[in-house]
Amino acid sequence: MEVVSTSFVNENFGSNEHLEKFCRALPKLELHAHINGSITTKTMRELVERKKEQQPELLEFEIREPGPLSQINDFFELFHFIYKLSNDIPSVKYITRSVIKDFAEDGVKYLELRSTPRADEASGMSKRDYIEAVLEVIEELSSPEYIIVKLIVSIDRRHTLEMAMDTAKLAVEYRAKGVVGVDVCGDPSQGDFDTIKPALHYLNDHGIKLTIHMGELPRNVEEGLSMLSLNPGRVSHVTFLSDEQRQVLIDRKVPLEICMSSNVLCQTVKSYESHHLRDFLKRDHPCILCTDDRGVFGSPCSNEYAIAARTFNLNQSELYTLSHLGIQGIFADDGTKVALEKAMAEWKSINIQQ
Ligand code: IMP
Ligand code: ZN
């Protein structure tokens, strides 16, 4: 792909309005979206309204519109509040429903949502209940005409091996009901990846696909080869890599979940112009543009395409190719891949002049 840097208006589109309209209409795949990070401020406020009688302390928290964070740690603090909103089964369902609808309205046609199953003693919710609640909403809303949705179960890198094994076993058990993989996430400044590694070996043995948050901070470089030894189907971020790790990703053509806004707003990447997506695009390496946490960063999937288009001067065909390449990286079965190929080709024949 030809990658040219431009500071603002993309000359292929004439106006930003035209570019944004195209990016919304483009059929997109979203493969890296954390459910609790994707709750918009609007949904947060609705939940506070629903819960304020039982949890009046929620009113004390100032819900701010998304913007730059002073450091990645601020962002993990925010989840203390968000988890008070998603502490029972009806709230988990409410959130999942609104998150799916938000992605569908933004033109996402295939969505792999991810979430860390959580128990809540006060409401009596177990990790199993949490997964079932999310899967029930997915079952209710997912359809090829609207949006196809699958679930990735997350293991937090701060968890003990016992907790990670519990989650891994649930992922295997719920595979037939829509769980397509397991993610390793959580505060990259904490935890030791090798602690939870036996749970990931267990998932490898059971044929469950893995996606791993990799190289978010410089300290994560030393874990990279251990992560790659598990043969993940995809990895995300890859901001800090050793040369050897970069070469393994390239040689194996491991699809990358790229989260530009997340990286720039968390200040792990200095600017869009210096984003490492540039190097991978030049190699035509499969990269999928993802939101990570739309509720925190305020950037819908269509906006990630608009940012990439402005930053690298991409035209309609190149944006389509970028979205289309993502099909290689999805965790759903081959039938779903074929259906997506067909739907995207049809859209292209109508909407993009050769
Ligand atoms: P949940 O898994 O649906 O509860 O979504 C929120 C969780 O996702 C957070 O508590 C983090 O563990 C994880 N998460 C969200 N964004 C990131 C990220 O950029 N890096 C690592 N973990 C993340
Ligand atoms: Zn993430």
Side-chain angles (χ1 to χ4, degrees):
M1 199 173 279
E2 187 78 4
V3 180
V4 186
S5 188
T6 170
S7 59
F8 197 54
V9 173
N10 178 322
E11 65 232 31
N12 298 302
F13 289 87
S15 71
N16 274 324
E17 208 183 346
H18 185 199
L19 168 65
E20 283 161 14
K21 195 167 162 217
F22 177 85
C23 292
R24 269 195 303 278
L26 178 70
K28 296 175 287 297
L29 286 72
E30 166 62 81
L31 306 187
H32 187 132
H34 301 266
I35 292 184
N36 282 289
S38 302
I39 314 173
T40 57
T41 47
K42 179 172 168 282
T43 304
M44 284 184 209
R45 291 197 176 97
E46 286 164 6
L47 279 163
V48 171
E49 213 35 53
R50 281 163 65 110
K51 289 170 159 292
K52 66 182 182 196
E53 313 274 291
Q54 290 90 347
Q55 294 169 255
E57 75 280 6
L58 291 175
L59 291 166
E60 285 160 30
F61 189 86
E62 188 201 344
I63 300 174
R64 274 182 282 161
E65 291 310 313
L69 302 156
S70 65
Q71 48 178 326
I72 200 167
N73 295 350
D74 281 7
F75 156 83
F76 287 97
E77 286 300 310
L78 178 63
F79 284 105
H80 291 308
F81 167 72
I82 292 179
Y83 283 158
K84 289 185 187 151
L85 299 177
S86 57
N87 58 353
D88 55 37
I89 297 171
S91 308
V92 171
K93 287 188 183 172
Y94 187 85
I95 287 166
T96 308
R97 207 170 277 125
S98 65
V99 166
I100 293 175
K101 287 182 178 168
D102 287 339
F103 279 112
E105 275 167 26
D106 189 44
V108 172
K109 288 292 167 197
Y110 177 86
L111 170 64
E112 287 179 11
L113 277 180
R114 62 184 67 192
S115 200
T116 323
R118 238 170 338 110
D120 186 274
E121 220 175 289
S123 72
M125 176 174 73
S126 65
K127 280 186 174 187
R128 179 182 294 279
D129 293 336
Y130 185 101
I131 294 187
E132 286 187 358
V134 173
L135 286 174
E136 200 182 302
V137 176
I138 289 179
E139 167 90 35
E140 171 194 316
L141 293 180
S142 176
S143 78
E145 301 74 37
Y146 183 48
I147 182 171
I148 301 173
V149 189
K150 305 286 177 188
L151 179 63
I152 292 176
V153 172
S154 295
I155 293 177
D156 193 309
R157 49 181 290 133
R158 293 161 294 185
H159 283 176
T160 61
L161 176 57
E162 198 190 344
M163 289 160 90
M165 272 309 289
D166 272 359
T167 308
K169 284 182 184 159
L170 285 169
V172 173
E173 189 182 330
Y174 284 90
R175 177 169 23 191
K177 298 207 169 130
V179 172
V180 290
V182 166
D183 159 51
V184 179
C185 69
D187 188 343
S189 68
Q190 309 284 321
D192 169 31
F193 178 73
D194 282 343
T195 306
I196 57 165
K197 204 169 170 191
L200 306 176
H201 279 301
Y202 169 86
L203 289 161
N204 265 346
D205 293 344
H206 284 79
I208 298 276
K209 292 186 174 127
L210 298 178
T211 172
I212 305 181
H213 283 67
M214 183 176 176
E216 275 186 272
L217 294 175
R219 88 180 272 267
N220 305 127
V221 173
E222 63 187 37
E223 307 168 321
L225 287 178
S226 178
M227 290 172 167
L228 291 174
S229 73
L230 290 155
N231 270 317
R234 303 193 302 258
V235 290
S236 57
H237 296 295
V238 295
T239 309
F240 300 95
L241 296 173
S242 68
D243 290 345
E244 185 182 1
Q245 290 160 20
R246 187 174 295 101
Q247 202 52 50
V248 172
L249 292 173
I250 291 166
D251 292 345
R252 290 191 202 158
K253 287 202 171 357
V254 181
L256 307 177
E257 301 158 6
I258 297 289
C259 310
M260 291 181 84
S261 293
S262 163
N263 299 152
V264 171
L265 292 174
C266 280
Q267 303 187 13
T268 54
V269 171
K270 280 201 184 70
S271 64
Y272 292 113
E273 288 71 26
S274 62
H275 199 282
H276 45 284
L277 172 61
R278 175 191 301 274
D279 305 326
F280 288 106
L281 283 184
K282 277 187 189 157
R283 296 174 180 275
D284 290 323
H285 189 95
C287 294
I288 305 104
L289 301 187
C290 302
T291 54
D292 206 2
D293 299 283
R294 175 185 174 168
V296 183
F297 304 120
S299 174
C301 192
S302 59
N303 192 51
E304 295 302 301
Y305 279 80
I307 290 171
R310 283 189 206 110
T311 309
F312 304 122
N313 203 32
L314 306 179
N315 62 28
Q316 292 192 354
S317 271
E318 287 168 323
L319 287 173
Y320 173 85
T321 303
L322 195 52
S323 179
H324 181 261
L325 263 180
I327 298 177
Q328 290 179 22
I330 71 168
F331 282 175
D333 56 20
D334 288 347
T336 308
K337 285 187 185 169
V338 172
L340 281 172
E341 287 279 358
K342 188 163 170 272
M344 287 202 70
E346 269 170 26
W347 185 89
K348 186 184 182 198
S349 68
I350 298 167
N351 293 284
I352 299 185
Q353 278 87 42
Q354 298 303 316

